[in-house]
Amino acid sequence: MKMETIQAAEAIDFSAVGLFLQSSLTVQVVMIMLLVASFWAWAIIVQKYLVFARARRDAAAFDRAFWSGEPLDDLFDRIGDRPRTAPERIFAAGMTEWNRSQRDSGELIPGSLPRIDRAMNIAIQREEARLFKGLSFLATVGSTSPFIGLFGTVWGIKSAFEGIALSQDTSLAVVAPGIAEALLATALGLVAAIPAVIFYNKLSGDADRITGSWENFADEFASLLSRQIEEPAA
């Protein structure tokens, strides 16, 4: 009897693919969901790393141009009507409102500075939405994947007990497949969740620092315009 049990256990394919093929349809659906979520999460992680690296390069390049001493009007004309980067779009929003606030005589319409601040803040909010896009999916994967995997675990254990009840046999050959598929579902849930949580926290912090640099630039730009407004009055 013992030899028969050993032989039956050896006949079971305990590889990940083998366990998947031997699993019930419900557990297979759970595993596919977790695999898709994991691949999607990694795609977002890689894409965000590239986007954030480009955003930092764009910010550094624009800072050099902005503080180079070039007149703001010349810089605005050089950027043109279609700014390519986030700092350029924020700057263009402020400069566009600045130009709209000037009368033909050269005087500024009262309340110009708050309108310029609002225009830049709206531009920052748009860029922030683009920057954070996709991060909520990482948070969702990180918070739900363990529970989805747990559902697969429970279903796999249920299948194992059903096998025991139907065969009236508690041998390893009967119990092992259901327990193994249950543990595989748990593992896939953790494989999807752990990187999603780690990189969500990391990327959220990076995004906050990038948007913080945009807000600092907007404050500096508003201060610069404020001095230009006050100088003629002085």
Side-chain angles (χ1 to χ4, degrees):
M1 183 69 179
K2 185 176 180 181
M3 287 299 299
E4 292 177 357
T5 301
I6 294 174
Q7 291 173 355
E10 289 176 347
I12 300 172
D13 184 1
F14 284 101
S15 66
V17 175
L19 290 174
F20 173 79
L21 295 175
Q22 296 167 25
S23 301
S24 63
L25 177 61
T26 302
V27 178
Q28 286 181 345
V29 170
V30 168
M31 291 181 182
I32 291 172
M33 288 175 59
L34 292 172
L35 287 172
V36 170
S38 181
F39 283 124
W40 195 350
W42 276 108
I44 291 174
I45 290 167
V46 172
Q47 187 254 351
K48 287 301 174 184
Y49 261 99
L50 297 176
V51 168
F52 289 2
R54 186 170 65 246
R56 284 188 283 266
R57 289 195 301 270
D58 291 341
F62 181 78
D63 280 346
R64 288 193 297 269
F66 184 79
W67 298 110
S68 65
E70 180 181 5
L72 296 182
D73 289 333
D74 292 347
L75 179 60
F76 182 50
D77 292 338
R78 183 160 59 84
I79 289 173
D81 296 333
R82 292 188 176 180
R84 296 174 294 107
T85 66
E88 288 180 355
R89 285 189 285 269
I90 295 167
F91 170 73
M95 284 298 295
T96 300
E97 190 59 38
W98 166 264
N99 291 333
R100 289 173 179 171
S101 299
Q102 296 186 28
R103 294 194 175 103
D104 294 336
S105 61
E107 296 180 354
L108 286 174
I109 299 172
S112 298
L113 199 57
R115 286 194 296 272
I116 294 170
D117 283 335
R118 258 193 320 271
M120 288 192 292
N121 286 334
I122 291 172
I124 289 173
Q125 289 172 6
R126 290 196 189 112
E127 299 303 326
E128 188 176 6
R130 292 192 186 100
L131 201 64
F132 277 88
K133 185 178 180 181
L135 292 186
S136 59
F137 179 78
L138 294 183
T140 302
V141 171
S143 60
T144 60
S145 291
F147 296 103
I148 296 173
L150 180 61
F151 174 76
T153 301
V154 172
W155 199 272
I157 293 174
K158 182 182 83 69
S159 299
F161 280 111
E162 287 175 351
I164 293 172
L166 292 173
S167 64
Q168 298 295 314
D169 186 0
T170 59
S171 65
L172 181 63
V174 175
V175 177
I179 299 298
E181 71 180 59
L183 294 176
L184 181 59
T186 301
L188 288 176
L190 295 176
V191 166
I194 292 173
V197 171
I198 292 173
F199 284 102
Y200 171 77
N201 293 329
K202 171 67 168 61
L203 293 172
S204 294
D206 291 345
D208 287 337
R209 283 187 285 274
I210 292 170
T211 55
S213 69
W214 295 340
E215 291 169 356
N216 291 336
F217 162 73
D219 292 339
E220 292 170 348
F221 184 34
S223 298
L224 185 62
L225 294 180
S226 178
R227 286 195 294 271
Q228 292 189 17
I229 292 173
E230 293 172 359
E231 279 175 3

